[in-house]
Amino acid sequence: MLIDFFLFTGVKCGGVLSAPVGHLSSPNFPKVYPPYTECTWLIVVSEGSTVQLAFHEFNLEYHDTCEYDYVKIYNGASRDEGNLLGTFCGSQLPPNLTSSWHVLSVIFHSDKHVGSSGFSATYRKDICGGVLTSLSGVITSPDYPDNYPNNAECHWLISAAPHSKIRLVFTDFQLESQECNFDYVAVFDGSSQEEEEQVRHYCGTTKPPDTRSSSNELLVVFKSDFNIGGRGFKAYFSSGECQDVFTAVKGNITSPRYPDMYPNNIICQWNIQLPLGFRIKLFFRDLKLEEMNTLTDDCDYDYLAVYDGQSTGDKLLGRWCGTDLPPPLISAKNNLLLVLVTDRDTANKGFSVSYIGMVPMNVSCTRTDFHIQIPIQSVPQLERSHIYLGTPACTAQLAGSSYKIYARFDTCGTEPQKRNNTSVIVSILYVDFSLAGQGDIHEYEVQCEPKRKEASVRILSGSEPAQLSGRAENTGQSELPEAEASESSERGQDSSDVVFISICILAGVLMLIAVVGLVLL
């Protein structure tokens, strides 16, 4: 059962509240509440609505972490700590709270010592507006997807943890399409409508752009006039550890509250955006999500999806749940999108991934040399001394718009090896991103098969070998884009063939001279 009623002292409390508005208070309020009491109120309103809870009186035994007497408020019916909106004690009035769906749980607990007057609160079904404090949630116009009512005005204040940012994305949008002075949605970067004349109003069928706040608060306002409506809108928000944009060459991403249980009923997005030319390699370090649906053999409940681009409209690279670690992934370009979706119950530990940006480079070889080129525009923060083959003595040279390394096989730490019964030449290319004493050296294995003049490159590690090294399998092919790999191979063959043919012609001429000389003698 999700609802428990405890009757330690003969005091009955708690229950299911389903009216559009209602009241709840601690036992005996405003007199001292009894000891050894625990009450659970489950507030359930119609689907599509939310619950707004406001405290009017509040006085419980105080403790720094509210260990003794407390009120806990959960987003939904579950007591999963991932759904916890707040724990309160003492005499300070809790803030107004709004659920992210149509169910809210309130739990009151008292221990055996020190009672007080308790609390009094009211709730109401909220068809629009409210203060939203969860990590993720959905905002819709009243009655969505049916037409919204006339003369409606809704204010949603999304409030995240201090120093957090908020991301807002509209997924459906249809309002009266005349001038936006009639029906509109406006988004304010902050908690008020100050400087409203500088804020754009959105109407019609063109979705507002994705928004990312500059602070931990974002205000969304919806207004409709006295006639002509539309289907309205649907948008979702995420905040704090539930969304981020990563632009560093390497990094780590974890689910909210990892390694503790992630919250229920969230949609989180993380974008990896690296400079043009880079590709991204993603390593799964830990994965513990709710198991798949045994009826459909699919991840219908909680799942992590990875898209090869910046949006969910791009190619899906995979969708995972359960505990089996996926293999490493490589993006086609310089963007990856990770999306975590959880349902309303059964949470788990979550996930942890690491990524590393693969520096764009051309690697080719002749029968005797490695040729390596890296565009300067891809690594503008690096000096040429930060790129070297084998040892720092074999540093890159500046040549036009590229850093180049031309190295003979008997230099720069190269060594012959046998792989799959084939003789190859192998060396390590180092790209040093270290900054302010923080070591960050990326390693690439470059390989050449001299007989066929075919070169390949694969990333080995970043600066955290415990996370990244040893997990980049050799797939037997270059991790460069196909066009670059073929161009590198052809370029290597062209220069090598010219040298080889020239040597053959010279040897033939010398042999002819020798034969003629012998005949004359």
Side-chain angles (χ1 to χ4, degrees), residues 260-277:
D260 296 326
M261 285 190 176
Y262 51 77
N264 293 123
N265 204 37
I266 59 173
I267 301 175
C268 301
Q269 292 196 359
W270 298 270
N271 288 89
I272 306 173
Q273 299 177 358
L274 299 189
L276 286 173

Side-chain angles (χ1 to χ4, degrees), residues 379-399:
V379 286
Q381 73 275 39
L382 299 186
E383 301 290 338
R384 66 180 185 87
S385 59
H386 291 186
I387 303 170
Y388 53 91
L389 184 67
T391 67
C394 290
T395 187
Q397 301 299 315
L398 181 60

Side-chain angles (χ1 to χ4, degrees), residues 289-356:
L289 303 178
E290 184 177 2
E291 295 291 339
M292 68 172 58
N293 185 338
T294 55
L295 296 178
T296 64
D297 287 333
D298 204 355
C299 297
D300 296 327
Y301 307 132
D302 300 349
Y303 63 84
L304 175 66
V306 180
Y307 296 87
D308 198 356
Q310 302 183 62
S311 74
T312 53
D314 291 311
K315 179 183 177 182
L316 178 66
L317 294 180
R319 176 169 155 166
W320 301 276
C321 55
T323 59
D324 291 337
L325 283 179
L329 302 176
I330 301 176
S331 67
K333 294 185 179 178
N334 59 317
N335 293 284
L336 273 183
L337 172 66
L338 283 70
V339 179
L340 173 67
V341 177
T342 69
D343 64 3
R344 294 171 179 174
D345 57 13
T346 312
N348 209 323
K349 182 180 178 182
F351 73 86
S352 174
V353 301
S354 298
Y355 76 87
I356 186 168

Side-chain angles (χ1 to χ4, degrees), residues 453-470:
K453 294 165 287 182
E454 289 184 354
S456 64
V457 57
R458 67 184 181 103
I459 192 166
L460 292 177
S461 71
S463 64
E464 298 173 314
Q467 295 182 10
L468 296 176
S469 66

Side-chain angles (χ1 to χ4, degrees), residues 156-282:
W156 292 272
L157 177 61
I158 306 169
S159 182
H163 312 297
S164 298
K165 300 292 189 293
I166 300 164
R167 186 171 186 261
L168 180 71
V169 177
F170 286 83
T171 58
D172 191 17
F173 198 82
Q174 186 192 58
L175 274 62
E176 182 182 358
S177 58
Q178 298 184 24
E179 293 183 21
C180 293
N181 293 326
F182 304 133
D183 298 354
Y184 66 83
V185 168
V187 181
F188 298 86
D189 190 5
S191 60
S192 71
Q193 300 184 56
E194 295 179 3
E195 301 180 357
E196 184 171 355
E197 65 277 1
Q198 299 181 15
V199 174
R200 183 178 174 187
H201 293 179
Y202 301 98
C203 60
T205 58
T206 302
K207 290 187 295 187
D210 294 357
T211 301
R212 192 165 189 262
S213 67
S214 62
S215 69
N216 66 320
E217 292 184 314
L218 196 70
L219 177 65
V220 181
V221 176
F222 166 68
K223 285 187 179 182
S224 65
D225 67 355
F226 60 90
N227 66 358
I228 306 177
R231 184 172 67 247
F233 70 88
K234 181 178 183 179
Y236 69 84
F237 69 88
S238 52
S239 65
E241 55 187 329
C242 195
Q243 62 85 37
D244 210 343
V245 177
F246 294 83
T247 57
V249 180
K250 70 176 181 62
N252 303 305
I253 304 172
T254 59
S255 52
R257 299 173 184 165
Y258 179 88
D260 296 326
M261 285 190 176
Y262 51 77
N264 293 123
N265 204 37
I266 59 173
I267 301 175
C268 301
Q269 292 196 359
W270 298 270
N271 288 89
I272 306 173
Q273 299 177 358
L274 299 189
L276 286 173
F278 273 79
R279 291 198 296 160
I280 303 160
K281 190 155 192 177
L282 190 71

Side-chain angles (χ1 to χ4, degrees), residues 93-154:
L93 207 64
N96 294 344
L97 296 171
T98 304
S99 67
S100 63
W101 59 301
H102 69 291
V103 181
L104 190 78
S105 298
V106 180
I107 296 176
F108 167 69
H109 171 88
S110 67
D111 66 357
K112 64 181 179 179
H113 298 297
V114 188
S116 194
S117 59
F119 72 90
S120 173
T122 58
Y123 76 88
R124 71 180 178 90
K125 169 187 169 184
D126 183 38
I127 61 169
C128 71
V131 179
L132 307 176
T133 58
S134 57
L135 282 175
S136 172
V138 176
I139 300 173
T140 63
S141 51
D143 300 329
Y144 176 88
D146 296 328
N147 283 6
Y148 52 80
N150 295 328
N151 299 312
E153 181 170 344
C154 312

Side-chain angles (χ1 to χ4, degrees), residues 425-480:
I425 304 296
V426 178
S427 190
I428 305 298
L429 176 69
Y430 298 90
V431 183
D432 188 354
F433 288 95
S434 300
L435 186 65
Q438 297 291 325
D440 187 9
I441 301 177
H442 299 189
E443 301 174 10
Y444 296 80
E445 182 188 77
V446 292
Q447 175 182 307
C448 176
E449 188 178 342
K451 288 186 178 180
R452 302 176 63 181
K453 294 165 287 182
E454 289 184 354
S456 64
V457 57
R458 67 184 181 103
I459 192 166
L460 292 177
S461 71
S463 64
E464 298 173 314
Q467 295 182 10
L468 296 176
S469 66
R471 305 186 72 170
E473 305 85 350
N474 186 359
T475 59
Q477 58 185 2
S478 170
E479 289 179 346
L480 292 170

